[in-house]
Amino acid sequence: MAEAPKQTANLLRTYLRDASLESPNTPGIFTATGESQFKLEVNVTHRKGDNDHYEVTLTLSAKATMGDQTMFLVEVQQAGLLHIVGIEGDALDSLLGAWTPQQLYPFAREAVSTLSMHAGFPQVMLPMVNFEQFYQQNRAAKAAGAGVTAPADPPAGSAH
C-alpha cells in the first residue's frame, strides 16, 4: 500500500517588505483641536515562487485625520515566505488566505504602532482582525460571482 504524500507547511521567514509614513501637517497638527478619525484598510495577496515556495503579503494602510487634515498615514507591507509541500486546493487557499496573514498581523501591527509613535503621535493599538472570517467572506463572494475584494474595514482602532 502506497503512503499518502507528505504534507508540510513551514513559515520560513517574516519580513517587512515595505513601509512608509507621511505626516504632512506637522507640527501644526500637534496643537490642533478636534476629534480624530481613524481608518484601517487591510489587503492580502500571495504568489507562488519556485521550489514550492510561496510569498504572502499583508498590507495595512492606517490613516488618522482631524477634520480635513491628515495627522498621519502609515502603510506597511509585512510578508512571509513559506515552503509548502503536498497541500493543494481549498487547504492551500486557506493556508495562504487566512492562516498566514493571521501569523503576519502581529508584526505589521507593531510596525504601524512604532511608526506612528516615531512621528510624534500616541501609540496606535490596532484592533485584532479575524482573517479566517475575511477569507470565508471573500470565498463566498467569489462563489456568488461577485469576485474577490479586499477585506472590509475591521472595527476602527483609536488614534488618540
Side-chain angles (χ1 to χ4, degrees):
M1 178 188 260
E3 281 188 37
K6 185 172 182 171
Q7 295 183 330
T8 62
N10 294 306
L11 181 57
L12 302 175
R13 185 171 307 237
T14 63
Y15 49 98
L16 190 61
R17 174 177 268 291
D18 190 18
S20 68
L21 166 68
E22 296 176 28
S23 185
N25 293 301
T26 56
I29 198 72
F30 294 135
T31 57
T33 59
E35 189 172 324
S36 63
Q37 300 292 317
F38 186 80
K39 182 177 181 182
L40 175 64
E41 294 180 11
V42 179
N43 190 30
V44 177
T45 58
H46 58 82
R47 64 185 176 100
K48 185 173 185 343
D50 54 356
N51 299 323
D52 299 318
H53 288 97
Y54 292 80
E55 180 186 56
V56 175
T57 303
L58 170 64
T59 303
L60 301 182
S61 180
K63 183 176 184 179
T65 58
M66 185 177 295
D68 62 351
Q69 291 192 318
T70 298
M71 296 170 66
F72 65 84
L73 172 62
V74 175
E75 294 180 330
V76 170
Q77 290 183 353
Q78 183 70 43
L81 177 66
L82 296 99
H83 183 248
I84 301 172
V85 176
I87 301 173
E88 299 175 353
D90 289 344
L92 178 62
D93 288 343
S94 178
L95 182 67
L96 299 173
W99 183 85
T100 304
Q102 198 72 56
Q103 306 311 305
L104 297 175
Y105 187 69
F107 298 101
R109 187 177 188 224
E110 187 275 332
V112 169
S113 179
T114 299
L115 286 169
S116 66
M117 285 191 313
H118 283 298
F121 296 96
Q123 182 179 20
V124 174
M125 292 298 297
L126 295 180
M128 296 307 298
V129 175
N130 183 339
F131 286 94
E132 180 65 31
Q133 179 183 0
F134 287 137
Y135 170 76
Q136 294 299 336
Q137 288 172 349
N138 285 340
R139 188 174 165 163
K142 186 176 181 181
V148 178
T149 60
D153 287 346
S158 175
H160 303 292

